[in-house]
Amino acid sequence: MFKFKYALILLPLLLTACQVTKYKDTATIEEQWQLHQQDLKQINAFQVNGSIAHFSENSRSYGRFFIVQKSIDRYEIKLTTPVGTNILTLIAEPDYAEVIDKNGKHYTDYNVESLMNKIARIDVPLNSLHNWLKGFSNDSINDKIDNSGRLASTEFLQQDKKWLLKISNYMTKTFNNKSVDLPAMIELNHDNERVRLKIDNWILR
């Protein structure tokens, strides 16, 4: 009797899961993208690590990154050389940013992008990091969606600069008992400046 009651409880859940899977299989690309956007909106805290390359007209640099996103507007980034030597740590909160360099010296500013440009000569759209890093956008004009209903490319403004975002590869993770695709390869382009992120792993919270 107990097993029978347990089966009755599980049956509606299994049927719902099957209906969701069936819907995803038959949904249009646009409908899949809308579902994917809803999943991404719920992901507000995570850890991500990988390698970074920065190319400009006169220089090239390579390193490793580790990002802890605590909430939508609070995060910490650690940058190291390819062999693991510390380069800097960035702490970002609303209207406050702090950089700690390899010698332990602290620098602060109210604007995270201005601070990183001034201290490290890194000009990356950090104010929108939380969205583009996980492949989220809501720009109906510039968003280009791949055949799996995920963001392939988009454009966005950083003050007076227009950046082109491309996501060429994804990996699948589990969040709230659902499979969700997150970027594995990201490229940002502005004029002669290019930033490439190769992501090794996501940990969702």
Side-chain angles (χ1 to χ4, degrees):
M1 179 64 70
F2 177 77
K3 289 183 178 180
F4 180 72
K5 289 182 178 180
Y6 187 68
L8 289 177
I9 293 172
L10 284 179
L11 184 58
L13 298 175
L14 292 173
L15 289 175
T16 300
C18 291
Q19 290 171 357
V20 171
T21 302
K22 183 178 180 181
Y23 178 74
K24 284 188 174 182
D25 291 340
T26 60
T28 65
I29 291 176
E30 179 59 32
E31 289 169 338
Q32 291 179 56
W33 169 232
Q34 291 174 4
L35 288 172
H36 187 54
Q37 284 177 306
Q38 292 173 16
D39 290 338
L40 294 178
K41 284 180 181 179
Q42 299 178 47
I43 300 175
N44 295 316
F46 51 79
Q47 292 181 12
V48 60
N49 66 281
S51 58
I52 182 171
H54 180 263
F55 307 94
S56 65
E57 190 172 4
N58 301 314
S59 66
R60 294 185 177 190
S61 56
Y62 302 89
R64 301 280 304 169
F65 69 89
F66 177 68
I67 300 173
V68 178
Q69 186 86 37
K70 300 175 182 179
S71 63
I72 292 176
D73 49 11
R74 285 180 168 82
Y75 59 85
E76 183 174 319
I77 300 176
K78 292 183 182 295
L79 294 179
T80 68
T81 66
V83 295
T85 304
N86 185 55
I87 296 175
L88 62 82
T89 298
L90 168 67
I91 300 169
E93 298 180 358
D95 300 320
Y96 176 81
E98 180 178 0
V99 166
I100 307 168
D101 69 15
K102 62 182 180 181
N103 299 314
K105 190 171 182 179
H106 293 244
Y107 306 85
T108 61
D109 198 310
Y110 73 94
N111 186 292
V112 62
E113 293 179 350
S114 298
L115 182 61
M116 284 293 282
N117 192 14
K118 179 172 62 179
I119 301 302
R121 297 294 185 267
I122 295 175
D123 187 20
V124 178
L126 292 168
N127 285 328
S128 53
L129 172 74
H130 179 261
N131 283 331
W132 59 257
L133 185 61
K134 63 183 182 181
F136 176 83
S137 178
N138 192 22
D139 185 340
S140 59
I141 296 176
N142 293 308
D143 289 349
K144 300 295 187 296
I145 311 305
D146 67 16
N147 292 330
S148 298
R150 307 168 304 192
L151 187 66
S153 67
T154 193
E155 293 182 356
F156 56 93
L157 290 176
Q158 177 202 19
Q159 298 177 357
D160 59 341
K161 296 181 179 180
K162 181 181 289 187
W163 286 85
L164 173 62
L165 169 72
K166 294 182 180 179
I167 304 175
S168 57
N169 196 18
Y170 279 83
M171 67 177 71
T172 302
K173 293 294 180 177
T174 300
F175 181 70
N176 287 343
N177 297 318
K178 295 172 61 179
S179 294
V180 58
D181 289 342
L182 293 163
M185 183 70 75
I186 296 174
E187 188 170 293
L188 293 164
N189 289 276
H190 166 71
D191 291 342
N192 294 320
E193 191 168 12
R194 180 160 55 101
V195 179
R196 187 179 65 224
L197 300 176
K198 182 180 182 299
I199 296 173
D200 295 334
N201 193 33
W202 286 85
I203 298 176
L204 307 179
R205 302 191 182 283

